[in-house]
Amino acid sequence: MKRFFASLSGLIPFLVHAQLAVVEAPDTTLLSGSMFTNEAQPLEKLAFNRKGIATYNNPSLKEKAQIQLLLADGKTYCIVVEPGKTQRLKLTRGKGGKLQAQYKGANIILSQLLNELAAFVPEKNAAYEMANRSVDTISFAEAHRRLDERYHRLVKMAGELGTPDERARHLRDVELAYLSNRLLLLSDEDYQHQRDPNEDKRYMALINDINPDDTAYIQRGLTDMFVRSKIPFSVMQEATVGSYGEAYLNAVDAHVHNPHVRSFLMEGLVGAILGQMPANEVESFWAVVKAKAAPEIVQKYQHVVDAQRATKPGVKCPDITFSDAEGKKHHLSDYFGKVLYIDLWATWCKPCLAEIPALAAQVEHYKNDNRVQFISISLDKSRAAWLTRLQKDRPQWLQFNANDEENTVISAAFSVMSIPRFILIAADGTVLDAEAFRPSDKDFQKKLEGLLQ
């Protein structure tokens, strides 16, 4: 018997450490709908036992790693997990209902540091204050004081980490975050007083601390800040989407020499600009892309430019296909003869769903107007999800779904890089606007009337 208990006791540490992370919440409603996630694995829903304990385990994990606890309200907690060790996180409600987190077990300091670092942002935002002038806020001087105070606390925490390598790595992360936050505060202050940050000696002294060829500065948008500091203030304020994109590419070309950093910046910029650029600005911008960007970036986005060229105002619209709720296939040309307002959406797209009430209101307004037809085309891969949504909302205008093949054709034909997307087609089947105004636009009816006349 003694031998049995001895062997059993030897198993207890193994069983305890089998769980990489343990989350305890006396009130499990705190974590309803919450998830675990890391870079390598998909979201994993928390499952609590009767004691309010949920566990996370990943047998494939071979070294220390960071996971995220994503709460349903959007708040996140970092948890550092390590094979053979257990990290515990207890969540409770404090005064005023504020959620409080208590760590126990392994890697406590690192978990706390990562949490603090994730929330390390300036406690002042000029854009928010300008839009909410009645809100009492702290001064910029006080925001800098608080930022400095939090920075010193983070440095102290990083200095208490276990190994020299960890200390050095996380101290640099803290320094980069601090530099980024100081720049954000200074630029906010300058913009609020209508000053050019590039003429602010404090701001430019910090910009000059950035090495644009060091990949570490990509963190926290520091390399991007450096590049934007090389663009004239007048361009930043008054440029069109295309001319800003051209100025940015030229600044990268002139000041960044590391091929990896150049490609990172240019690819991100090209994708963002093409996703919101009017068709009439494409040619000038694309000429700069072809002259400055790496060939693989040009090749990646060539089809987007081709689609934008093919959907300029006045060009014959591609005759795309889609299916109704009964599965019958339709052609877009079936509905030529009226101005078509097309809504591309999906049930999983929150911005799309946010536009539905406004779109319903516009449909109601024009319900007796034979000059215009509203059409919604779902790009959902799950036809069942689309049908369920239709049953719930009961929309009073034409509803269709594109299968995988049709989705690919639609996305390529109209250069759809994000949704919601709205397209206007003339009664003769030519493109009016491949990037049309949203239903929620306060001038929607004025703009549409201009086209209908």
Side-chain angles (χ1 to χ4, degrees):
M1 185 63 72
K2 286 182 179 180
R3 184 177 300 171
F4 171 77
F5 280 116
S7 61
L8 182 61
S9 65
L11 282 173
I12 290 175
F14 173 79
L15 293 173
V16 169
H17 293 305
Q19 305 302 336
L20 294 171
V22 176
V23 177
E24 181 181 355
D27 176 8
T28 57
T29 59
L30 290 175
L31 302 182
S32 176
S34 299
M35 303 278 186
F36 280 126
T37 184
N38 64 26
E39 292 181 356
Q41 285 190 316
L43 294 174
E44 177 181 320
K45 190 172 182 178
L46 271 70
F48 287 95
N49 63 21
R50 293 180 180 179
K51 294 182 178 181
I53 295 175
T55 59
Y56 170 85
N57 194 25
N58 179 1
S60 65
L61 191 71
K62 304 301 180 186
E63 57 186 19
K64 189 182 296 186
Q66 177 187 341
I67 63 172
Q68 297 277 351
L69 171 62
L70 310 179
L71 303 190
D73 64 0
K75 190 172 181 58
T76 64
Y77 287 94
C78 301
I79 302 174
V80 177
V81 293
E82 187 174 358
K85 298 181 179 180
T86 300
Q87 172 68 272
R88 296 180 179 273
L89 174 62
K90 184 175 182 179
L91 297 173
T92 57
R93 291 286 188 194
K95 290 182 179 180
K98 186 177 181 180
L99 205 58
Q100 296 180 331
Q102 181 181 6
Y103 286 94
K104 290 184 178 179
N107 298 302
I108 294 175
I109 295 176
L110 181 53
S111 293
Q112 292 173 331
L113 171 64
L114 292 173
N115 269 317
E116 292 240 8
L117 194 54
F120 186 39
V121 294
E123 295 179 45
K124 186 174 181 67
N125 182 281
Y128 176 79
E129 289 177 22
M130 291 175 74
N132 301 271
R133 292 191 180 279
S134 63
V135 178
D136 291 326
T137 59
I138 60 175
S139 66
F140 280 102
E142 174 62 13
H144 278 287
R145 189 197 67 77
R146 294 186 187 184
L147 191 69
D148 292 345
E149 188 178 75
R150 294 171 69 188
Y151 161 70
H152 290 301
R153 184 165 68 247
L154 286 166
V155 168
K156 183 175 184 297
M157 293 173 69
E160 294 173 355
L161 294 175
T163 67
D165 179 63
E166 271 192 332
R167 290 194 292 274
R169 185 169 69 255
H170 291 290
L171 276 170
R172 184 163 201 201
D173 288 344
V174 170
E175 295 292 345
L176 293 173
Y178 183 47
L179 176 57
S180 174
N181 286 333
R182 292 168 73 194
L183 284 165
L184 287 171
L185 263 181
L186 287 172
S187 62
D188 266 357
E189 183 178 0
D190 287 330
Y191 285 129
Q192 192 173 69
H193 293 92
Q194 298 183 330
R195 297 193 300 251
D196 181 357
N198 293 353
E199 295 180 0
D200 184 337
K201 292 181 180 179
R202 302 169 302 167
Y203 183 84
M204 291 308 297
L206 294 177
I207 285 291
N208 290 333
D209 286 340
I210 298 171
N211 177 358
D213 290 318
D214 186 340
T215 57
Y217 287 93
I218 291 175
Q219 290 185 55
R220 299 271 178 160
L222 285 164
T223 317
D224 176 67
M225 292 181 191
F226 175 90
V227 171
R228 285 189 282 118
S229 75
K230 307 304 176 185
I231 300 174
F233 189 57
S234 59
V235 173
M236 295 289 289
Q237 285 193 312
E238 303 168 8
T240 62
V241 172
S243 59
Y244 169 76
E246 292 175 31
Y248 190 99
L249 290 174
N250 284 324
V252 172
D253 186 57
H255 299 283
V256 182
H257 309 291
N258 182 322
H260 173 77
V261 180
R262 283 172 62 91
S263 290
F264 177 86
L265 294 170
M266 288 188 176
E267 182 171 345
L269 184 279
V270 171
I273 293 293
L274 289 177
Q276 56 183 311
M277 173 182 285
N280 61 357
E281 293 184 30
V282 169
E283 298 303 336
S284 176
F285 174 70
W286 191 241
V288 178
V289 173
K290 292 175 72 173
K292 306 295 185 182
E296 55 268 24
I297 296 176
V298 175
Q299 183 178 1
K300 179 177 180 178
Y301 290 104
Q302 183 66 60
H303 75 282
V304 177
V305 175
D306 292 341
Q308 289 178 326
R309 288 168 174 164
T311 54
K312 287 182 179 180
V315 174
K316 189 69 176 177
C317 177
D319 193 13
I320 56 177
T321 62
F322 32 78
S323 299
D324 60 26
E326 284 69 45
K328 181 182 177 181
K329 181 169 286 191
H330 296 251
H331 289 260
L332 189 62
S333 58
D334 298 339
Y335 302 94
F336 292 168
K338 298 181 180 181
V339 169
L340 301 179
Y341 185 85
I342 302 170
D343 160 37
L344 300 180
W345 72 294
T347 59
W348 45 261
C349 168
K350 289 184 179 179
C352 300
L353 300 182
E355 289 289 336
I356 289 178
L359 180 55
Q362 303 298 354
V363 170
E364 176 65 20
H365 179 81
Y366 286 97
K367 66 181 180 181
N368 296 319
D369 193 327
N370 290 324
R371 299 173 299 167
V372 61
Q373 175 70 62
F374 293 87
I375 295 176
S376 284
I377 303 174
S378 156
L379 303 184
D380 280 287
K381 289 188 175 182
S382 170
R383 185 176 173 84
W386 170 62
L387 291 171
T388 299
R389 188 78 199 191
L390 294 190
Q391 286 292 320
K392 178 182 176 183
D393 292 349
R394 303 282 182 178
Q396 299 302 301
W397 65 97
L398 292 175
Q399 300 288 325
F400 300 104
N401 174 251
N403 61 30
D404 284 349
E405 182 179 346
E406 291 166 336
N407 189 334
T408 300
V409 170
I410 291 170
S411 296
F414 290 99
S415 182
V416 179
M417 300 179 70
S418 64
I419 52 175
R421 174 76 173 271
F422 303 95
I423 302 168
L424 273 162
I425 306 301
D428 64 359
T430 58
V431 176
L432 281 173
D433 191 347
E435 288 268 8
F437 40 90
R438 295 189 174 205
S440 58
D441 188 323
K442 63 181 178 63
D443 294 324
F444 179 94
Q445 292 171 17
K446 180 180 178 181
K447 292 177 179 178
L448 185 56
E449 287 295 335
L451 295 170
L452 294 178
Q453 291 172 7

